Amino acid sequence: MGGRSSAQAEHAGQNLVELALLLPLLVAVLGLILDMGRGVQAYIVAHHAAREAVRYAAIRPTDVNGIRTAATNELQRGGLQPANATVSASGSGIGNPVRVTVSYRLPLVFGLLGSSQLTIRATAEAVIF
């Protein structure tokens, strides 16, 4: 009397098959959401790094090492690896704009879109004084 009927066993088997079919899709969607969140966080940190570096460059536009150091320090504070970043600055002369671009190669956890990394670029501009 405590046994299962064949209809109940068949229903349980059907649920297991449906789970097996949908689980990879759910994991893929979760991975995509995770990588997107990490990408947004990396963009925000790269943008802050570019802003800090352009502030430094507005005062000392010829100090390339100082500009890179300002950007890499901000990347480290944001939890990113400075080794994955490139920092470039352009502009010279008082009253002219200086532009700093930070490019960051974010390694993807799941890489669902056929790529193992995502390149994020953030640019900031200020006037040299």
Side-chain angles (χ1 to χ4, degrees), residues 48-129:
H48 285 282
R51 286 176 42 197
E52 285 297 318
V54 84
R55 282 188 191 116
Y56 185 89
I59 299 169
R60 297 179 188 91
T62 58
D63 186 6
V64 178
N65 287 331
I67 294 168
R68 285 191 181 119
T69 300
T72 56
N73 286 345
E74 192 65 27
L75 290 171
Q76 282 180 324
R77 275 193 287 273
L80 299 181
Q81 299 294 325
N84 292 345
T86 54
V87 179
S88 61
S90 63
S92 63
I94 294 175
N96 293 324
V98 62
R99 177 180 291 196
V100 174
T101 301
V102 176
S103 296
Y104 186 77
R105 294 173 311 281
L106 177 69
L108 297 176
V109 174
F110 287 91
L112 296 174
L113 301 176
S115 178
S116 62
Q117 69 181 9
L118 177 66
T119 302
I120 296 169
R121 283 188 188 83
T123 302
E125 191 173 298
V127 175
I128 298 171
F129 58 93

Side-chain angles (χ1 to χ4, degrees), residues 33-44 106 108 118 120:
I33 290 170
L34 177 70
D35 280 342
M36 283 177 52
R38 290 180 61 239
V40 169
Q41 186 262 349
Y43 174 76
I44 291 169
L106 177 69
L108 297 176
L118 177 66
I120 296 169

